[in-house]
Amino acid sequence: MEFSFTFTIRDDSGKVMTYEEFRAEKKERIRTIMERLEDLQSEVQDLIAEEDEFRDKLPGGSATEDLMDDSEEIGGNLEDAFNLMDESLDALREIH
């Protein structure tokens, strides 16, 4: 005699699906989130490049020292955000 089990799940809307369908739906949603996060990460990377270019164009001297400091802080924060997005993508890839 052979037994098999099929798990069904009812979502919030009342839709009933198998566990495999449930997992496939979640993986698709995760894939979509990953794509959106990659797009946002690309935008942050563009902002980092723009900030670097801004700093490169600043003339030297004490008159621009505050601008340089602000730009370096902004660039560092953007890099932190980029790296956190990268960590998030890694975590999502482990699920997907």
Side-chain angles (χ1 to χ4, degrees), residues 38-91:
E38 287 167 347
D39 289 344
L40 290 171
Q41 191 179 35
S42 178
E43 287 185 47
V44 170
Q45 195 169 30
D46 291 344
L47 289 170
I48 292 169
E50 289 172 17
E51 202 62 40
D52 289 344
E53 185 178 336
F54 172 79
R55 272 195 309 279
D56 290 344
K57 290 182 179 180
L58 279 176
S62 61
T64 60
E65 202 171 290
D66 287 341
L67 291 174
M68 182 67 76
D69 290 345
D70 287 347
S71 181
E72 286 175 354
E73 184 177 350
I74 290 168
N77 289 337
L78 288 169
E79 288 178 16
D80 289 346
F82 181 89
N83 292 333
L84 288 169
M85 289 178 184
D86 213 32
E87 288 180 32
S88 297
L89 283 166
D90 287 344

Side-chain angles (χ1 to χ4, degrees), residues 4-58:
S4 69
F5 295 95
T6 302
F7 293 96
T8 57
I9 298 164
R10 184 180 310 273
D11 68 10
D12 292 339
S13 70
K15 178 181 171 187
V16 176
M17 62 183 93
T18 66
Y19 177 77
E20 290 78 15
E21 292 169 329
F22 175 79
R23 279 285 145 233
E25 183 179 297
K26 296 303 174 230
K27 283 186 175 192
E28 180 60 26
R29 289 175 64 194
I30 290 169
R31 186 191 61 75
T32 300
I33 291 168
M34 288 170 57
E35 288 174 358
R36 290 169 47 199
L37 190 52
E38 287 167 347
D39 289 344
L40 290 171
Q41 191 179 35
S42 178
E43 287 185 47
V44 170
Q45 195 169 30
D46 291 344
L47 289 170
I48 292 169
E50 289 172 17
E51 202 62 40
D52 289 344
E53 185 178 336
F54 172 79
R55 272 195 309 279
D56 290 344
K57 290 182 179 180
L58 279 176

